[in-house]
Amino acid sequence: GESVGLHLPTLSVQEGDNSIINCAYSNSASDYFIWYKQESGKGPQFIIDIRSNMDKRQGQRVTVLLNKTVKHLSLQIAATQPGDSAVYFCAENNAGNMLTFGGGTRLMVKP
Amino acid sequence: DSGVTQTPKHLITATGQRVTLRCSPRSGDLSVYWYQQSLDQGLQFLIQYYNGEERAKGNILERFSAQQFPDLHSELNLSSLELGDSALYFCASSPTVRLDEQFFGPGTRLTVL
C-alpha cells in the first residue's frame, strides 16, 4: 500500500484500550471540523464531524471533543481494534468552502 | 467503497508532459473536490466545482486546471509536469455546495520521472 507521511507522529495502543488522537487547529473563525481515517492504499474515509456550536459529538465507538478556547480537537476511539490502525487526519474549514487538513497521526494497534 | 471512482489508478510520465486525471462523483453529488497528497505536504485542497461551476480554489498551481462536465464528472489537467508534482491525487464529492461530509475516491498515483 501507499506510505502516507513517513515522519508522522505515531500513537501505539494495545487492542481493547481507548485511543485519544489530538489536533490543534489554526483559525479561531473555523466553524466546522472533520476527522478522517486513511488506511494504506486508500482514500480518506469520513469518521465524524462537529460544528463549532457543539463541544462534543458521539458516534459509534468514536467521540470528538472541541475546545474552542485553546483551538484543540480530539478524537477518542473506544475499545480500539486492529482494524482501527490507520492514519487519522483532522480538518477545519478555515477559509469558507475549503478544508485545511492537519498533518495526520498514525495509530498502531498492538494485538 | 465510497462510490467515487477515479481513473487511472497509476500514471507514470516524464517531466514536461501533460496528463488528465478523471473523477466520477457519487450518484447525486453535485460538488467535486480535488486534493493533492504528497509525503512532505500532506493533504492539500486544490479546487472545488459545484454543478459545473468553480466554487473554491486552494493552492492550485497555474499549470493545473480542472473542469466539471454536464454529467458531473470532473477532470484535473496537469501540464508542464515537474518531479515535485509526483503525488497522490484524490477526488472527493458531496451532495451540496455547502462544506459537509466529503466522500473520497481511491486516488490516482502520479509519478513524474
Side-chain angles (χ1 to χ4, degrees):
Chain A
E2 310 292 355
S3 176
V4 175
L6 294 178
H7 304 293
L8 289 176
T10 298
L11 175 65
S12 187
V13 300
Q14 203 69 40
E15 181 179 357
D17 287 352
N18 297 334
S19 303
I20 300 177
I21 301 171
N22 296 304
C23 177
Y25 63 91
S26 59
N27 189 346
S28 56
S30 294
D31 61 2
Y32 180 62
F33 306 87
I34 309 181
W35 280 99
Y36 278 94
K37 170 186 180 183
Q38 188 174 22
E39 297 174 276
S40 184
K42 297 184 178 179
Q45 177 187 359
F46 173 89
I47 302 174
I48 192 167
D49 59 2
I50 188 168
R51 300 204 179 265
S52 59
N53 61 350
M54 301 175 70
D55 297 323
K56 179 179 178 179
R57 189 159 188 231
Q58 288 184 291
Q60 187 178 13
R61 280 202 308 120
V62 295
T63 301
V64 56
L65 297 178
L66 176 61
N67 185 330
K68 294 180 286 291
T69 304
V70 294
K71 293 189 288 186
H72 183 267
L73 197 64
S74 69
L75 176 70
Q76 300 178 0
I77 304 174
T80 314
Q81 302 168 0
D84 295 326
S85 293
V87 176
Y88 289 80
F89 294 96
C90 66
E92 62 177 305
N93 71 323
N94 70 353
N97 229 40
M98 237 177 73
L99 278 182
T100 298
F101 282 77
T105 296
R106 189 182 306 278
L107 176 65
M108 296 177 63
V109 182
K110 296 177 286 188
Chain B
D1 184 0
S2 67
V4 178
T5 60
Q6 289 187 248
T7 56
K9 190 171 175 60
H10 301 280
L11 196 50
I12 301 174
T13 188
T15 55
Q17 295 297 305
R18 173 189 168 96
V19 297
T20 298
L21 313 183
R22 184 188 167 101
C23 167
S24 292
R26 289 188 326 155
S27 177
D29 283 358
L30 299 178
S31 269
V32 168
Y33 305 79
W34 285 98
Y35 292 87
Q36 180 191 57
Q37 186 175 43
S38 57
L39 287 178
D40 58 348
Q41 294 280 332
L43 260 168
Q44 300 279 320
F45 168 73
L46 296 177
I47 198 164
Q48 178 204 4
Y49 277 81
Y50 173 76
N51 206 18
E53 300 289 325
E54 181 185 307
R55 289 303 299 239
K57 215 166 185 175
N59 296 324
I60 187 166
L61 299 171
E62 284 192 14
R63 300 184 285 109
F64 296 1
S65 65
Q67 53 184 329
Q68 186 179 27
F69 295 87
D71 67 352
L72 301 177
H73 90 271
S74 178
E75 292 180 356
L76 179 67
N77 300 296
L78 315 175
S79 62
S80 302
L81 285 167
E82 302 174 359
L83 296 177
D85 297 327
S86 295
L88 273 164
Y89 290 85
F90 288 104
C91 164
S93 74
S94 67
T96 70
V97 67
R98 204 172 67 109
L99 200 59
D100 215 329
E101 178 181 351
Q102 296 177 22
F103 297 85
F104 280 75
T108 293
R109 163 64 79 182
L110 174 66
T111 302
V112 182
L113 301 176

